[in-house]
Amino acid sequence: APTLQKYDASGRAEIHSDVQLANKQPRAHGTVALADVSLSRPDDKKALINHLTGNIKLNGYAADAGPLKFDLGSGHATATLRVTSFQPLHVNYVLSIDTIKVAEFAPKRPADEHLSNLALNGTVAQAAELSVDVRGSSSDGNVANVVFKNLSLAATMQGKELNVQSLKLGAFNGAFAASGNATLGDAPQFALNITANNIDIQSALQSQQSKSANMIQGILDAQLQVAGKGAKLDDIKPTLAGDGRAAVRNGKLVGINVAKEALKKTNGLPGIGDLVPASLVQRHPELFSNPDTDINNAGLSFVLQGPRITTHDLVVQTPDYGMTGDGWFDMDKNIAMAAHLLLT
């Protein structure tokens, strides 16, 4: 068939059917048997579908296909389709794939990105624009350097507009949940609501190659509303805007002793000298000589603008003191914060 020529279609098909054509609308009753059918992508001629085998039952303006078995890239897939209308197109589908390697379909993506045990179901409709509704799950995988498990998704795509009703996954020893909207294309943009529970901060930052990954440790619970533009983290950071709340427990600021740095400001006061005597400093090396800041717990609400996080209600409790803070810090290890320390 000429339509299939650009896909380099190969394989075998056997058709037994009655066909009628009225007002450019085909109607058929019969069966189509497919065996070892292969299709290539028109742009680069790389294999898209291989070894497609299964039966299609034609029923007037509708059709039922499957189970169809085929290879999708290097993965093995099974699909069932119910076409309730060909013109306009409306299809219900159920699809399962043992593994998807993302780079096989998006060559610019890293070679280690994959999804395992992917299961999808939903509808595909073609009116003015293509509309896809999907409910999906994946047992585990790696996308955008996030190693995840137990992914579940409910989403709808209309043209380039993506609406995510629900996205849940386990990652960094905790769990994420998200919903929101995105516009796909050369300059993608997004607006998301994100909830994070029990997240290992350092692992999350390391996965995104953040400069602060070796500086911040702890377990994070957070709620965030955020919008931005771009496809890569470096492009996205300057465009970020949002707000939220966060709480950290069992944390540590590596290489920064907040109390020590703050108390340096009290040395050499006019008419007073050093507010904290050297003898007191010597008696408490765990506070004044520790290169890090150990944090029992911390909490804040914040506004996100670009890579900068601004808060007016930071509360920190360490083993040695309590602290409130007002100021900002960013994803590049910069900080400007007015703090009130209560030493006990």
Side-chain angles (χ1 to χ4, degrees):
T3 304
L4 293 175
Q5 186 174 2
K6 63 181 179 179
Y7 296 99
D8 287 338
S10 63
R12 297 184 300 278
E14 184 172 329
I15 303 171
H16 299 264
S17 180
D18 297 327
V19 180
Q20 293 178 324
L21 184 64
N23 298 321
K24 298 183 179 180
Q25 292 281 345
R27 184 174 62 179
H29 293 84
T31 60
V32 178
L34 302 174
D36 204 26
V37 172
S38 296
L39 303 173
S40 299
R41 294 198 296 254
D43 50 355
D44 57 14
K45 301 302 180 182
K46 290 184 178 179
L48 176 63
I49 291 176
N50 280 320
H51 310 304
L52 171 63
T53 300
N55 295 324
I56 302 172
K57 183 177 180 181
L58 305 175
N59 185 19
Y61 298 114
D64 291 291
L68 303 174
K69 296 185 180 296
F70 55 96
D71 294 339
L72 187 64
S74 58
H76 307 295
T78 301
T80 58
L81 308 173
R82 179 167 180 77
V83 183
T84 57
S85 171
F86 283 101
Q87 292 184 358
L89 180 66
H90 190 277
V91 182
N92 298 314
Y93 67 89
V94 177
L95 174 66
S96 62
I97 311 168
D98 60 358
T99 186
I100 285 285
K101 294 183 178 180
V102 179
E104 292 179 340
F105 306 94
K108 294 183 180 180
R109 299 303 303 173
D112 61 347
E113 287 193 345
H114 69 280
L115 298 94
S116 299
N117 301 314
L118 182 64
L120 304 171
N121 68 85
T123 60
V124 177
Q126 177 73 62
E129 291 183 307
L130 182 67
S131 174
V132 180
D133 177 77
V134 61
R135 300 291 182 270
S137 65
S138 174
S139 63
D140 59 272
N142 179 0
V143 176
N145 289 325
V146 177
V147 178
F148 68 84
K149 61 181 180 180
N150 300 328
L151 180 148
S152 64
L153 171 68
T156 302
M157 179 177 287
Q158 184 86 29
K160 293 184 178 181
E161 299 298 321
L162 174 65
N163 175 255
V164 179
Q165 293 95 42
S166 174
L167 171 64
K168 297 179 181 180
L169 57 90
F172 311 121
N173 299 320
F176 286 95
S179 61
N181 300 289
T183 301
L184 307 181
D186 295 334
Q189 54 185 311
F190 60 87
L192 301 173
N193 299 311
I194 301 172
T195 300
N197 291 307
N198 204 50
I199 301 301
D200 185 315
I201 298 174
Q202 188 172 50
S203 296
L205 293 174
Q206 287 174 340
S207 75
Q208 302 306 309
Q209 300 178 345
S210 172
K211 294 180 181 179
S212 56
N214 295 324
M215 171 185 166
I216 304 174
Q217 300 176 7
I219 305 301
L220 172 69
D221 297 313
Q223 298 83 42
L224 171 64
Q225 297 80 45
V226 62
K229 299 178 181 179
K232 297 180 180 180
L233 183 61
D234 289 341
D235 298 330
I236 293 172
K237 284 196 299 185
T239 72
L240 291 173
D243 58 71
R245 299 189 62 85
V248 176
R249 61 187 185 278
N250 302 328
K252 184 189 290 284
L253 294 177
V254 180
I256 297 178
N257 186 323
V258 173
K260 180 179 178 180
E261 294 299 320
L263 292 173
K264 280 183 180 179
K265 305 296 184 182
T266 70
N267 292 339
L269 294 173
I272 299 176
D274 293 348
L275 187 63
V276 180
S279 59
L280 180 61
V281 173
Q282 292 173 357
R283 288 200 303 271
H284 295 278
E286 74 285 353
L287 174 58
F288 298 105
S289 298
N290 188 347
D292 308 322
T293 299
D294 295 312
I295 299 173
N296 292 344
N297 52 73
L300 74 159
S301 61
F302 60 87
V303 173
L304 176 64
Q305 192 65 46
R308 179 174 292 187
I309 298 169
T310 301
T311 180
H312 302 297
D313 60 0
L314 173 64
V315 177
V316 178
Q317 185 63 53
T318 81
D320 301 295
Y321 59 88
M323 185 186 83
T324 58
D326 187 336
W328 62 265
F329 54 95
D330 66 19
M331 301 176 188
D332 297 317
K333 299 175 67 174
N334 301 306
I335 183 169
M337 184 77 65
H340 177 203
L341 276 74
L342 178 62
L343 301 175
T344 58

